Amino acid sequence: MLVVAIVLLGNLSGRAAENQDRAVLDLFEAKIRPVLIARCYECHSQEGDEIHGGLLLDTRAAIRAGGDSGPAVVPGKPDESLLLSALRHDDFEMPPDAKLDDAVIADFTRWIEAGAHDPRDDDGATPIAQSIDIEAGRQHWSYQLPREHKPPHVSDSEWSQNAIDRFVLHRLEQQGWAPAGSATPNVLIRRLYYDLIGLPPTPEQIDEFVSDPTQQNYEAIVDRLLDSPRFGERWARHWLDVARYGESNTLRGTVFGEAWRYRDWAIDAFNEDLPFDQFIQQQIAGDLLEAETSEQRRKQLTATTLLALGNTNFENQDKEQLRMDVVDEQLETVGGAFLAQTITCARCHDHKFDPIPTADYYALAGIFRNTRTLVDANVSRWIEVSLPAPPEVENKIQLHQEQVAAKRAEIAAIREELMPSTATRQTKTSGPVRAESLAGIVVDNTDAFVVGAWKESQFAKPYVGASYIHDEAMDRGEKSISYEVPVPKDGEYEVRISYTVGSNRASNVPVAVTSAGGKEAQVVVDQRKAPGIDGLFHAIGRFPFKANEAAQIVISNQGADGHVIADAVQLVPLDESQSPRPAKVAKQPEKQQEKQQENQQQTAALKTKLKQLEEELKRLQGDAPRREQVMSVQERGEIENSPIHIRGNVHNLGSVAPRGFLQVATYGEPPQFNDQQSGRRELAEWIASDRNPLTARVAVNRFWHWLFGAGLVRTTDNFGSVGELPSHPELLDYLAVQFQKENWSVKTTIKRMVCSRTYQMSSQAKKPQVVAQQVVAEADPENRLLWRANRRRHDAESLRDTILSVSGRLSLEMYGPTYRKGMGNDYDYRYDGLRRSVYVPAFRNSMPEIFEVFDFANPSMVVGTRTTSTVAPQALFMMNNRFVVEESDEAAKRLLKETSDATDEQRLVLAYRRTLGRTPTPREQEISLKFLTDHDADQQQQAWSSLFQAMFASIDFRYLD
């Protein structure tokens, strides 16, 4: 047993090291090499006209050797690496023109700390030719379409339970090997529960299977677990690793207040067994897909949150660079999550390892450049859009809007009696105009979302409401104001903006209008010209709007050549039947009745009524039902292709790359692009197609990894030439083809895997086979041929959820945010809730300690394979952490309360079964009972608490056989 344990631990630590190496290599290609090329090579490469400071940075040997001042990079020692000092502008200043963003410097720090892995040859040569041969590239296994392989013939036909087993056994028989025996019922049922729902079986659930360990009963339990809502929670958490799910950004710790909706969407998607091709399409282009119901529309919009979750540097003042960085991050996510391709390595040059030319990168980048992800400002911000409300809420919203419109109409009618006509008033008044007196739907600047420092003013007239604001002609591109205007009914509306005219105004004020379907239009307004409607409003166009999608109008000072004024926005329905304001009846003045019309008593009554109506309107607006918001993206108004950026420099543009897909993975005619849309819909169709050689393979390989502990391709996020070859290529193809044939059903594929004899094997050889299996273990120490099950360390979530389950305090409440509304940032946040770990806020600056210690996925990267480390802090956490200590106390209280009439022997058995899923061994029982008898009666709860903590700290608790 000791030998087996050593082999297992060696395999685990070796695999962890390989995972870490691959992660750092990906970091170099995605984050380090592009910066070196774009910002450093001009002065520090063999291509440059002059080498500054004797420093070359274009080869591995040169960057380590350094220049005249010493080593540029010392692996593992950032404080001794002069390159990092220069990037920080400490002793040297590189680049000399401007310091790089803190996020870039953080990437270099992380890279050096992890060993500064650098795949470049010392002579600067690249592993493949600069001119990529696409047809030659298709010879790589992953770029060939999956073929339908028949399960092979095997000698031991009785061992196999399904096709998976025949593929596995065939490979073993070719080596002359035999598979390990079956796992015991006790071990198998525990493995199944954790893999499918992430929670331990209760003693009663274990007994249910142990008493009837037949395949029929096993499959019935599988079906029950797949139907459990806990299944979606477990498997959504797997996917959130891949989606780099985080609920805040790193630099400011700004909280993404609506990100949790994406997590809930993923839970529902797995529970409902959403076909995986639709799962893909909704995340990439859900906002562009047709929806039959408002609920379907909600889900599709929420799915697109995937594109907005990146750890973006919102403070970047180079907005074109920021735009391209967001595009690059989206490509990294989509390419890694669905295709297992490192597409972003081709941003600055042709891919060094895979057949992905730079032109392919910008063909894909053009799709996402047509997608609006941020609202640009000094500190930019992600986009939130309104979700369709359920019918009952939508009815309330519409009723409320009608009530507000009716109330405003009443107010306007009374004001007509009290004041001259609107046209005369607006052109001649020296005071403000009340929004309630205006036609259509009006949103004043005081009700809009303002970014940057604007100045309030009442100097020039007329204006709407109490005042207007202006940008002081300062901080170009850093100030904006966003109006969200609810519309009562579908239809076409004229959009107007109000401003005060002046000679110092900007003649080129940019205004963006987002209309029905997220379509964005850009308009330029000359505020030096008087508004054409009553001297107050300027019409910027007619646009279609939908009642369940609030109109959005954004005024900014980007590139403005004078003062930018922002006052009110007005939407006037072109269909007069929609107008909330009744038609006015012109009054014929009668001189003889002028004094009677000015009757003071009538005027006073009207003023009293007006005040009453205004108070009612204010209360009504305060009680307004609101549509929920979700992080999403929108289409840009102008659809265009992207130019290639020379060396990745956004300010050094080359030829235009038409929108398209990876050539090497395209078979047949690809989808044709719609000139009126970004191309995300076509991209989603291409990725989710049966003719894409990568997608189905990547998906089933991820499922296999999450069930077996290692994928058939162990580099789950890289199917390129530097990734590993599949251990069972025919099996991988078989699973991929079946996945597509069975309507991309995740649950069907998972059931096939867990019902195989391969899944149900023991992780250890049984005694009669020890000698033979030792030979196998020496020949295949990493278990690549699947001759046994992999012993696996529980992930952080399973450890936490199991501890709470044993203590009896685990809450199974589902969905919704789990932190207080309105949090500004995530710094020093501490979650003390008792819900499942999938609901713990994924704050990038404040991860729970148990997550950090037990290798939680980096929420800023696509992570298909978590690192599995074995380090001292893990044991120390179980010994000293407040959470573990408190839950041990709660577990002891629960046990003593529920077993008041039981003996210590009976309690001990129950405690072991709840915690470890088995009964104590004779030696464990002897030691535990002696420990209990050494404590007085009043110390029993503390004694039991210590026993639970000892079990939590044990290897058996942390590992799954």
Side-chain angles (χ1 to χ4, degrees), residues 305-588:
T305 300
L306 171 80
L307 301 177
L309 286 171
N311 194 7
T312 302
N313 177 15
F314 295 108
E315 299 185 33
N316 191 339
Q317 297 305 303
D318 186 338
K319 299 307 176 184
E320 190 57 36
Q321 180 70 46
L322 174 60
R323 178 185 179 186
M324 197 61 209
D325 286 347
V326 169
V327 167
D328 185 75
E329 199 276 339
Q330 290 168 334
L331 275 178
E332 182 177 18
T333 300
V334 170
F338 301 120
L339 304 173
Q341 295 293 296
T342 54
I343 297 171
T344 55
C345 293
R347 179 177 181 177
C348 305
H349 48 72
D350 286 351
H351 201 294
K352 298 298 183 182
F353 304 104
D354 297 331
I356 305 175
T358 302
D360 279 11
Y361 174 90
Y362 286 97
L364 289 164
I367 295 171
F368 288 109
R369 278 176 59 84
N370 288 325
T371 302
R372 184 166 172 260
T373 308
L374 300 178
V375 177
D376 285 337
N378 180 34
V379 178
S380 298
R381 186 175 174 84
W382 60 93
I383 289 173
E384 291 182 355
V385 301
S386 296
L387 287 170
E392 63 276 10
V393 177
E394 198 64 51
N395 291 337
K396 290 180 181 179
I397 291 174
Q398 185 167 343
L399 176 61
H400 179 269
Q401 290 174 342
E402 291 172 355
Q403 291 172 338
V404 169
K407 194 69 65 178
R408 282 178 168 168
E410 286 187 72
I411 292 172
I414 292 179
R415 289 194 170 281
E416 288 295 330
E417 297 296 323
L418 291 171
M419 303 175 68
S421 70
T422 303
T424 304
R425 182 175 70 254
Q426 291 182 9
T427 54
K428 296 183 178 180
T429 185
S430 60
V433 177
R434 292 180 177 269
E436 294 85 354
S437 69
L438 298 169
I441 308 145
V442 179
V443 176
D444 199 8
N445 58 279
T446 54
D447 296 320
F449 178 76
V450 177
V451 175
W454 295 72
K455 185 173 182 179
E456 184 179 12
S457 179
Q458 299 174 328
F459 180 77
K461 300 176 180 64
Y463 52 81
V464 176
S467 62
Y468 61 91
I469 57 176
H470 65 86
D471 71 338
E472 301 183 274
M474 296 171 59
D475 302 327
R476 299 295 187 220
E478 298 181 11
K479 301 181 181 183
S480 66
I481 177 168
S482 300
Y483 302 82
E484 189 166 285
V485 188
V487 294
K489 293 182 180 180
D490 295 358
E492 191 173 13
Y493 292 74
E494 183 172 82
V495 177
R496 305 170 179 176
I497 65 170
S498 64
Y499 60 87
T500 58
V501 69
S503 59
N504 67 343
R505 305 300 195 241
S507 66
N508 57 345
V509 177
V511 182
V513 180
T514 303
S515 56
K519 188 73 174 179
E520 183 188 276
Q522 299 284 343
V523 181
V524 176
V525 177
D526 185 353
Q527 293 190 343
R528 295 173 187 172
K529 296 181 179 179
I533 302 173
D534 302 330
L536 183 64
F537 281 98
H538 171 73
I540 60 175
R542 298 178 175 187
F543 304 90
F545 295 102
K546 291 184 177 294
N548 62 353
E549 298 176 8
Q552 188 179 62
I553 295 90
V554 179
I555 301 173
S556 77
N557 68 346
Q558 182 78 42
D561 57 5
H563 285 72
V564 174
I565 308 299
D567 189 12
V569 165
Q570 180 185 39
L571 265 66
V572 178
L574 299 182
D575 178 2
E576 290 300 324
S577 65
Q578 295 182 30
S579 177
R581 184 182 180 194
K584 299 179 211 169
V585 179
K587 299 180 181 180
Q588 299 297 326

Side-chain angles (χ1 to χ4, degrees), residues 196-337:
L196 295 193
I197 66 172
L199 292 171
T202 64
E204 294 76 20
Q205 290 166 335
I206 293 174
D207 291 341
E208 175 195 2
F209 180 62
V210 171
S211 64
D212 179 18
T214 61
Q215 184 70 9
Q216 181 179 4
N217 188 33
Y218 177 80
E219 292 188 13
I221 294 172
V222 169
D223 289 336
R224 190 170 71 229
L225 294 178
L226 290 174
D227 288 339
S228 166
R230 311 283 82 79
F231 169 79
E233 292 172 330
R234 173 62 169 171
W235 281 72
R237 184 55 260 180
H238 285 319
W239 180 254
L240 295 179
D241 283 5
V242 177
R244 47 81 170 103
Y245 175 72
E247 297 183 63
S248 62
N249 79 321
T250 299
L251 286 181
R252 283 182 173 242
T254 310
V255 174
F256 300 157
E258 305 295 339
W260 59 269
R261 297 186 189 278
Y262 176 80
R263 175 205 65 208
D264 289 358
W265 170 84
I267 292 172
D268 281 342
F270 281 102
N271 275 334
E272 295 167 4
D273 200 17
L274 178 70
F276 201 78
D277 57 343
Q278 296 180 35
F279 182 79
I280 294 169
Q281 293 180 57
Q282 289 187 19
Q283 292 179 83
I284 297 175
D287 56 318
L288 305 178
L289 302 177
E290 290 78 16
E292 296 180 359
T293 64
S294 61
E295 182 59 26
Q296 184 179 0
R297 177 70 176 165
R298 285 175 63 91
K299 290 181 177 181
Q300 291 173 180
L301 282 173
T302 303
T304 62
T305 300
L306 171 80
L307 301 177
L309 286 171
N311 194 7
T312 302
N313 177 15
F314 295 108
E315 299 185 33
N316 191 339
Q317 297 305 303
D318 186 338
K319 299 307 176 184
E320 190 57 36
Q321 180 70 46
L322 174 60
R323 178 185 179 186
M324 197 61 209
D325 286 347
V326 169
V327 167
D328 185 75
E329 199 276 339
Q330 290 168 334
L331 275 178
E332 182 177 18
T333 300
V334 170

Side-chain angles (χ1 to χ4, degrees), residues 67-68 75 84 136 157 198 325 508 561 617 674 749 900 953:
D68 299 340
L84 196 57
S157 58
D325 286 347
N508 57 345
D561 57 5
L617 177 61
N674 181 339
T749 304
S900 57

Side-chain angles (χ1 to χ4, degrees), residues 92-109:
F92 308 94
E93 294 185 359
M94 290 174 50
D97 54 340
K99 183 180 176 182
L100 295 177
D101 292 336
D102 290 342
V104 175
I105 297 172
D107 288 336
F108 273 84
T109 303

Side-chain angles (χ1 to χ4, degrees), residues 99-130:
K99 183 180 176 182
L100 295 177
D101 292 336
D102 290 342
V104 175
I105 297 172
D107 288 336
F108 273 84
T109 303
R110 187 155 51 96
W111 173 62
I112 295 172
E113 287 175 342
H117 288 229
D118 188 341
R120 296 175 298 174
D121 293 335
D122 288 344
D123 61 359
T126 57
I128 64 174
Q130 288 295 320

